Amino acid sequence: MDRIGVLTSGGDAPGMNACIRAVTRAAIAKGYEVVGFLKGYNGLLYNKYMSLSARDVSDIIHCGGTILGTARCLEFKEWDNVVKGKENCDSLFLKGLVVIGGDGSFRGALDLTKAGLPCIGVPGTIDNDIACTDYTIGYDTAMNTAMEMADKLRDTIQSHDRCSVVEVMGNKAGWIALNVGTAVGAMAIITMERDFNLDEIVGKMKAMQATGKHHFMVVVSEGVCNIEGITADEIAAKLAETTGVEARATNLGHVQRGGNPTLRDRVSATQMGYHAVNLLDDGISRRVVGERGGFVIDYDIEEALKMTKPFDMNLYHIADEISL
Ligand code: F6P
């Protein structure tokens, strides 16, 4: 019997399990057996897998993480290992593979297609940094988690008349920072996509102090801290020194990757996983599934990897203009 394989790769994201479930059940409904590779491409390379029945994916739709485990497998960048992975898939009679992950994972899938294995990518990352889709699995949950954490910080900064500088994930992309910053009414949102000037932020904060505001929140994306080299602690120190407001930095960190997926993540994961199996069943390969304007679509992997995603400057300006 033909089999469909599935793996999760890169950083985990809430909703990956819902996608594994959808892939498994859609494939079973079409008469395939399903194999789940463990720990991303490592499972493919070292023949570590589990068969997935409809019951094996029961009661996981609401769970964060991934039942298959995940990893970033550097060895899979070597062509000999891609070929080895393809041979392992052949010995399992795989008709095709669904890869749930980010851009790095899609490069592995593209290489596998070059070695002759049909592959489909499904965007699973909290960062929403995949250009061919409006939306990635895990992004909504991560934003809501970060928002809840920032709301809790608001309670304490309000009580103590402090400033909170909150660092959020997103890799090089500022999507989480932009939306969380907007949702929590941050005084300033600092992301890589837009030049920022700390003196301007200080000026804005002083103007707000003059109107009677005593507590402040700044949301900064980790890309600014990791790549531009200014830490959230340094931002907090500068704001405290120049305004006299006590400031603290909080890095929300990996908590943003955990937790039960939101409704949106579960539904998108289900739609995209289902679509991926349909493509393989129709004999279509080398595609990345995505969402555009609420519709599930797909693009050639190579084309998808070359796309760029324009940042939502409009939202940025709205948030900026009304933080008075
Ligand atoms: O890609 C998801 C992500 O959580 C990024 O937001 C972050 O930069 C990175 O992974 C963290 O990776 P690690 O789990 O290896 O620390």
Side-chain angles (χ1 to χ4, degrees), residues 72 125-127 169-171 222 254 257:
R72 299 184 174 93
T125 164
I126 64 163
D127 300 332
M169 276 189 169
N171 200 3
E222 66 172 354
H254 289 83
R257 285 221 308 243

Side-chain angles (χ1 to χ4, degrees), residues 100-111:
I100 309 165
D103 277 351
S105 313
F106 298 156
R107 282 194 191 93
L110 179 62
D111 287 344

Side-chain angles (χ1 to χ4, degrees), residues 219-267:
V219 174
V220 56
S221 77
E222 66 172 354
V224 171
C225 304
N226 299 341
I227 298 163
E228 303 205 350
I230 174 154
T231 66
D233 277 312
E234 285 163 353
I235 296 172
K238 163 103 183 177
L239 297 179
E241 180 191 300
T242 48
T243 64
V245 177
E246 217 183 326
R248 297 274 196 278
T250 305
N251 183 350
L252 298 185
H254 289 83
V255 72
Q256 293 162 97
R257 285 221 308 243
N260 298 352
T262 58
L263 178 144
R264 169 140 206 210
D265 274 329
R266 297 182 201 188
V267 173

